Amino acid sequence: MSDRPPLYYFDNNATTCIAPAVLEIMLPFLEENWGNPSSAYSFGHEVGRHLDRARQQVAALIQVEPREIIFTSCGTESNNTAIASALATRPDRRHIVTTAVEHSATLKFCASLEKQGYQVTLLPVNHEGALDLRELERSLRPDTALVSIMWANNETGMLFPVREIAALCRSKGVLCHTDAVQVAGKIRIEAKELGVDFLSLSGHKLHAPKGVGLLYVKRHTKFQPYLIGGGQERGRRGGTENVASIVAFGRAAELAIEHLETTSGRVRALRDQLEAGILRRISGTSRNGPAEPRLPNTTNIAFRGVEAEGILMLLDQAGICASSGSACTTGSLDPSHVLTAMGCTAARARSSVRFSLGAYNTAAEVEYVLDRLPAIIEKLRANAPLEEPVAN
Ligand code: PLP
């Protein structure tokens, strides 16, 4: 038994707990079924059969064919692979289009490509985090290899119109990748129907363990492996498969399909209860980003006159996990690049906290946060008001 005090976990966009049914199914692959799925004997083959099943399960989650799935180590690898493949298979095209609000798994990879001589267009967003699709269209050039666009923003939950963007790309002969890492288990994914060429997911955002992800590559799309080695994943990703985690990912995908409607409805109601409660009970608060279109689990709130760092510290003391959505370096919080791109002042960005709910949150937990938070904000405002006023 753990003697850890109760945890009020509101950071499901960062990672999720492993579902009990998922843990149960993966454990035998760490204990007795530890064979290499590529081995010629039946002890290995047997493991290979479980990999096939997991591939079918994750393919069902995103409505594609199992052979269109490549298992990877994480969402970051999937994003890097899609972008690198688009460039490698179209060497005459050296331009990529993405947005200013992507995850660093895309942004930093693109920045490293720029250093190698590729050109990157970072599309801006408006104050709600939305893209101007005419600007996107204008950014496409004869040498554009790929548009890489996140489906849901990890900080605000804002959804981009990926279907329209994929259609636009298709009409211009440009490949389209979507980072759907934050979407899995929250809204329905029909990748084939969505019309994208590549789609990334990560297991640990959907109650599977860390260290497993997938890349969907639409059939007949030219593909260049990123990890080169053994012939695993039909020659598309070298490296012995992380079998236990892949099997777990498959089961998590199955559970996500089974519970999608009920879970996302329940989570949305809790998120709305939390958001409305904060906005009503605490003065000088406002939401970052639009009410819709948005993930059902995410709310990002600015608290006028207080640093998120202080809020998160006092929340932590109360056992509540939330996040500022920005990287914490040397003890000071950089203002979030997402909120900054949306036109927030640095002070507002630094006073913003993301709460991201999940399947295991309860109404009592939401009430607990709503009970604690007003006093936390009051205390911080009394002690250390920000000098710069924060516009709502
Ligand atoms: N893309 C988005 C939108 C994310 O939120 C994350 C993780 O937070 C990633 C990519 C990276 O996924 P992973 O942690 O599996 O590398």
Side-chain angles (χ1 to χ4, degrees):
M1 277 284 286
S2 159
D3 53 7
R4 189 173 66 188
L7 192 67
Y8 299 85
Y9 190 73
F10 287 83
D11 204 15
N12 285 273
N13 288 7
T15 197
T16 59
C17 65
I18 302 180
V22 169
L23 183 64
E24 189 187 340
I25 208 148
M26 77 181 284
L27 285 179
F29 295 90
L30 299 170
E31 293 170 342
E32 64 266 29
N33 295 342
W34 44 262
N36 187 325
S38 303
S39 296
Y41 37 80
S42 50
F43 179 55
H45 280 169
E46 178 55 27
V47 173
R49 272 199 288 280
H50 289 277
L51 274 191
D52 293 343
R53 179 162 161 67
R55 198 180 305 282
Q56 286 161 11
Q57 289 165 320
V58 297
L61 175 68
I62 64 170
Q63 310 257 310
V64 301
E65 296 164 42
R67 71 165 93 172
E68 295 173 305
I69 300 288
I70 301 174
F71 284 116
T72 64
S73 66
C74 57
T76 301
E77 184 191 326
S78 302
N79 286 2
N80 286 205
T81 303
I83 297 167
S85 176
L87 292 171
T89 54
R90 299 179 139 186
D92 53 324
R93 298 184 176 215
R94 298 180 62 82
H95 176 234
I96 302 159
V97 175
T98 186
T99 81
V101 296
E102 299 296 308
H103 189 271
S104 51
T106 298
L107 281 181
K108 290 195 178 166
F109 190 61
C110 286
S112 79
L113 290 169
E114 264 183 323
K115 289 198 185 115
Q116 296 168 42
Y118 292 97
Q119 290 178 339
V120 178
T121 298
L122 285 188
L123 295 170
V125 294
N126 70 11
H127 70 285
E128 293 223 300
L131 283 172
D132 178 345
L133 291 194
R134 283 163 312 194
E135 195 163 354
L136 169 58
E137 185 167 3
R138 279 196 299 273
S139 74
L140 299 179
R141 315 189 316 209
D143 67 337
T144 306
L146 177 78
V147 171
S148 178
I149 225 105
M150 66 198 324
W151 192 345
N153 188 277
N154 44 304
E155 294 193 25
T156 63
M158 157 95 192
L159 298 167
F160 279 149
V162 177
R163 191 181 311 270
E164 280 101 303
I165 293 168
L168 182 61
C169 291
R170 228 177 11 259
S171 73
K172 304 280 181 186
V174 173
L175 291 169
C176 183
H177 163 246
T178 189
D179 172 351
V181 163
Q182 287 298 343
V183 167
K186 298 171 188 161
I187 60 177
R188 189 175 299 286
I189 303 178
E190 292 166 333
K192 203 166 281 295
E193 206 248 329
L194 197 60
V196 293
D197 302 286
F198 304 101
L199 179 147
S200 304
L201 287 195
S202 176
H204 74 105
K205 310 289 187 183
L206 113 138
H207 302 290
K210 294 153 193 63
V212 64
L214 69 79
L215 179 65
Y216 156 73
V217 182
K218 191 171 87 186
R219 217 171 144 192
H220 303 310
T221 305
K222 278 194 189 162
F223 181 76
Q224 167 73 33
Y226 191 59
L227 287 192
I228 296 168
Q232 292 90 352
E233 298 298 290
R234 298 174 51 237
R236 293 178 302 172
R237 196 248 184 201
T240 303
E241 298 87 345
N242 180 356
V243 175
S245 294
I246 290 174
V247 169
F249 194 8
R251 180 69 179 127
E254 201 174 56
L255 292 172
I257 298 171
E258 206 178 312
H259 299 298
L260 182 72
E261 302 300 336
T262 44
T263 304
S264 64
R266 208 178 61 77
V267 167
R268 179 187 296 277
L270 292 176
R271 189 274 315 270
D272 291 347
Q273 180 192 344
L274 179 68
E275 181 175 285
I278 294 173
L279 298 178
R280 195 176 55 244
R281 292 187 202 185
I282 307 176
S283 66
T285 51
S286 52
R287 187 184 57 238
N288 292 310
E292 296 294 339
R294 181 169 54 141
L295 288 176
N297 79 318
T298 307
T299 180
N300 190 311
I301 296 188
F303 295 84
R304 188 170 58 213
V306 259
E307 294 271 358
E309 200 180 355
I311 304 174
L312 295 176
M313 209 175 70
L314 295 186
L315 284 174
D316 187 29
Q317 285 171 15
I320 300 165
C321 305
S323 145
S324 69
S326 55
C328 183
T329 45
T330 61
S332 72
L333 291 168
D334 289 335
S336 141
H337 71 281
V338 174
L339 299 182
T340 306
M342 287 163 63
C344 292
T345 61
R348 182 180 171 115
R350 277 202 313 272
S351 73
S352 296
V353 173
R354 174 188 76 186
F355 298 88
S356 49
L357 288 77
Y360 294 90
N361 285 119
T362 63
E365 290 178 339
V366 169
E367 274 312 313
Y368 177 81
V369 176
L370 290 175
D371 274 355
R372 295 297 162 111
L373 198 49
I376 288 174
I377 301 301
E378 202 175 314
K379 181 173 169 185
L380 291 167
R381 281 188 180 147
N383 290 347
L386 279 180
E387 277 171 20
E388 191 186 335
V390 180
N392 276 332

